[in-house]
């Protein structure tokens, strides 16, 4: 059986732990590989490699670091099909979705290619008599990222792309459920360094593991910053533990994103958008749109009918099927969790319009599949509304007025993203200004910002003060040093002031 090892100091690393995790093929429900789970000692070896590499990497001028990022970008594009197939085989998302996962990470690498300009400091001439003041942004040192299973390419690149470009070295702890793509990224980064004429051994390291290695990262004295994406409870733990250990921490948590449909919306377009946002990637996205809030009874009945018609056309299939719109969820445990939430929704009194629990794909009966599910008449008091289900479950929460529609996402414990569908510019503008959420889409169902802006939610969707990627990411992975300089007056005829010549 295939063995997935750590990647440390530019090469495969066995580690000293005798613990391993199962990596499934979710399409067939069978174990396809074993992944090594690191010990504290294994992590320390990765940190020591990163520490040794960081001195030289930070001293490499920004344009040479950028050349490595340019080459890394080229290699990602050249290996897109291989990466997407590998990602789909462990996660279960369809190939087109896996390519999107890689592409959104690649866009942050593109941003990192411009790091010489982005990392420039500020300068004030004549801040006082003969005094100039300037600042510089310097790397922190060794930093780490802890990433989830749902985006095994995009989220690691969101983190390490900028962190490495500014001169840090990086320890990546990916999900043990789908660890192969992160290792492949490490290998491609080594190729990029060689092609760009730079020694990048130890710059990007991948260490697999569970809570043992997470805690080791949070307590290791040489790791200066930690970025995390996962559930809110664990995000809160990571933030509190890392901050208590004196680290800089950003921890992104869960979500319950709402889509508000106004009576004047383009219902056909909104329906198509919401279908993809709710059911794409089997709902395993922190920016999925699992709650729809139609304003007014007529709007609710109209969109309900359109949702039913669209659900009947959805094709669930294996991840390699080009006709499939979404594939299996990542594990049997997660499939059962989603099914339990559906049962809870029925128990709470919501109307189960479409039930996906009994979905089976012929020939793949052991796969971790669950069909599209639709609830109507869901209320804010229900636990299924309050919690993040993280599956292909769409809930209709009706609102009578625009004010009620704003209040629903604003009062929710999560504040990641929200969308409004309307033709009314004034309503959209007011909604965007007033709603209590970090990212807003106007006729855009999944408002993930482009790479040169920043990603981040509010409330229990994010812990820490800095968003991911864009200039906020650069700020997170650097520290500012400010210099105030005054030079004593000298003899202007001194030879030091003469243009140097070869004589």
């Amino acid at each position: 059986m295939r063995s997935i090892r750590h990647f440390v100091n530019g090469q495969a690393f066995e580690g000293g732990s005798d613990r391993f995790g199962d990596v499934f093929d979710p399409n067939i429900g069978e174990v396809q590989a074993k992944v090594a789970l690191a010990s504290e000692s294994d992590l320390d070896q990765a940190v020591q490699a990163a520490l040794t590499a960081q001195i030289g990497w930070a001293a490499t001028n920004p344009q040479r670091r950028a050349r490595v990022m340019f080459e890394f970008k080229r290699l990602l594009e050249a290996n897109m099909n291989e990466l997407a197939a590998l990602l789909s085989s462990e996660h279960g998302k369809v190939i087109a979705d896996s390519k999107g996962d890689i592409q959104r990470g690649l866009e942050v690498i593109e941003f990192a290619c411009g790091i010489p300009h982005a990392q420039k400091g500020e300068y004030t001439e004549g801040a006082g008599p003969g005094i100039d003041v300037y600042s510089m942004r310097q790397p922190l040192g060794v930093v780490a990222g802890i990433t989830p299973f749902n985006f095994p390419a995009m989220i690691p690149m969101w983190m390490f792309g900028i962190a490495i470009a500014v001169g840090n070295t990086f320890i990546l702890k990916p999900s043990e459920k789908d660890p192969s793509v992160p290792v492949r990224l490490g290998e491609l980064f080594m190729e990029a360094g060689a092609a760009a004429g730079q020694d990048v051994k130890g710059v990007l390291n991948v260490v697999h593991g569970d809570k043992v290695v997470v805690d080791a990262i949070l307590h290791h004295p040489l790791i200066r910053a930690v970025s995390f994406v996962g559930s809110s409870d664990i995000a809160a733990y990571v933030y509190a533990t890392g901050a208590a250990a004196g680290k800089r921490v950003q921890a992104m948590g869960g979500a319950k994103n709402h889509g508000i449909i106004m009576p004047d919306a383009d219902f056909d377009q909104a329906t198509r958008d919401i279908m993809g946002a709710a059911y794409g990637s089997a709902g395993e996205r922190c920016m999925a749109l699992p709650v729809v809030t139609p304003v007014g009874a007529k709007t609710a009945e109209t969109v309900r009918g359109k949702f039913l018609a669209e659900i009947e056309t959805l094709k669930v299939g294996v991840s390699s099927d080009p006709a499939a719109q979404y594939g299996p969820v990542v594990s049997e445990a997660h499939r059962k969790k989603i099914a339990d939430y559906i049962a809870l929704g029925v128990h709470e009194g919501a109307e189960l319009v479409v039930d996906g629990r009994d979905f089976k794909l012929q020939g793949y009966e052991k796969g971790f599949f669950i069909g599209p599910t639709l609830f109507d008449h869901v209320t804010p008091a229900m636990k299924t509304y309050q919690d993040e289900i993280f599956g292909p479950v769409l809930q209709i929460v009706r609102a009578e007025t625009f004010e009620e529609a704003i209040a629903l996402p604003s009062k929710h414990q999560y504040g990641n993203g929200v969308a409004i569908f309307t033709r009314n510019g004034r309503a959209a503008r007011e909604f965007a200004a007033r709603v209590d959420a970090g990212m807003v889409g106007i006729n855009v169902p999944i408002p993930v910002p482009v790479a040169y802006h920043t990603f981040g939610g509010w409330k229990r969707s994010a812990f820490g003060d800095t968003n991911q990627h864009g200039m906020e990411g650069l700020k997170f992975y650097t520290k500012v040093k400010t210099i105030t300089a005054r030079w004593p007056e000298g003899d202007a005829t001194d030879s030091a002031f003469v243009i140097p010549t070869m004589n």
Side-chain angles (χ1 to χ4, degrees), residues 85-149:
L86 186 59
L87 195 159
S88 291
S89 73
E90 292 183 352
H91 176 277
K93 64 177 70 176
V94 297
I95 295 291
D97 201 17
S98 290
K99 288 183 177 180
D101 184 332
I102 298 159
Q103 180 62 37
R104 289 309 295 256
L106 192 152
E107 290 167 5
V108 173
I109 302 302
E110 290 177 333
F111 174 81
C113 289
I115 211 67
H117 175 75
Q119 202 174 350
K120 290 188 302 185
E122 299 174 325
Y123 190 96
T124 298
E125 180 184 12
I131 296 175
D132 302 324
V133 179
Y134 60 97
S135 65
M136 60 180 71
R137 286 198 166 271
Q138 296 183 320
L140 302 176
V142 179
V143 298
I146 303 167
T147 59
F149 73 83

Side-chain angles (χ1 to χ4, degrees), residues 382-394:
M382 294 178 180
K383 183 173 175 57
T384 51
Y385 169 76
Q386 296 164 3
D387 291 357
E388 181 182 36
I389 298 174
F390 219 59
V393 180
L394 179 60

Side-chain angles (χ1 to χ4, degrees), residues 263-446:
D264 67 336
D266 181 335
F267 292 149
D268 291 335
Q269 184 64 55
T271 298
R272 289 191 295 270
D273 287 346
I274 290 166
M275 285 295 104
Y279 298 118
S281 198
E284 294 173 317
R285 297 170 175 160
C286 66
M287 287 301 287
L289 204 161
V291 176
V292 169
T293 300
V295 178
K298 184 177 179 181
T299 303
E301 292 303 320
T302 300
V303 298
R304 171 177 163 147
K306 290 183 178 294
F307 290 162
L308 276 170
E310 287 292 323
I311 287 172
E312 289 178 358
T313 70
L314 286 180
K315 179 174 174 54
V316 182
V318 294
S319 56
S320 58
D321 181 355
Q325 290 162 300
Y326 77 83
V329 298
V330 73
S331 69
E332 174 58 26
H334 191 53
R335 194 205 66 78
K336 184 179 184 303
K337 177 183 175 183
I338 297 166
D340 288 346
Y341 267 118
I342 295 171
L344 177 60
V346 174
H347 177 74
E348 290 180 316
E351 180 189 357
L352 182 57
V353 183
V354 180
D355 186 353
R357 286 175 291 179
D358 294 330
F359 178 87
K360 296 290 184 184
L361 187 64
Q362 187 174 2
Y364 297 90
E365 287 80 8
K366 293 183 180 180
F368 307 141
F369 294 94
I370 192 160
T373 298
L374 177 66
F375 277 105
D376 196 0
H377 301 288
V378 176
T379 68
M382 294 178 180
K383 183 173 175 57
T384 51
Y385 169 76
Q386 296 164 3
D387 291 357
E388 181 182 36
I389 298 174
F390 219 59
V393 180
L394 179 60
Q395 298 171 290
I396 299 175
V397 182
R398 301 182 179 214
E400 292 298 322
T401 65
F402 177 67
E403 289 297 324
E404 186 181 345
I406 293 178
L408 281 167
S410 296
K411 291 179 179 179
H412 202 281
Q413 64 168 326
Y414 297 120
N416 212 37
V418 66
I420 185 169
F421 298 88
T422 181
R423 290 184 172 93
N424 187 315
R426 181 175 180 181
R429 185 173 185 271
E430 182 178 352
F431 180 83
R434 291 175 54 194
V435 72
D436 192 5
M439 293 170 283
V440 180
I442 298 173
N443 298 312
V444 174
I446 305 179

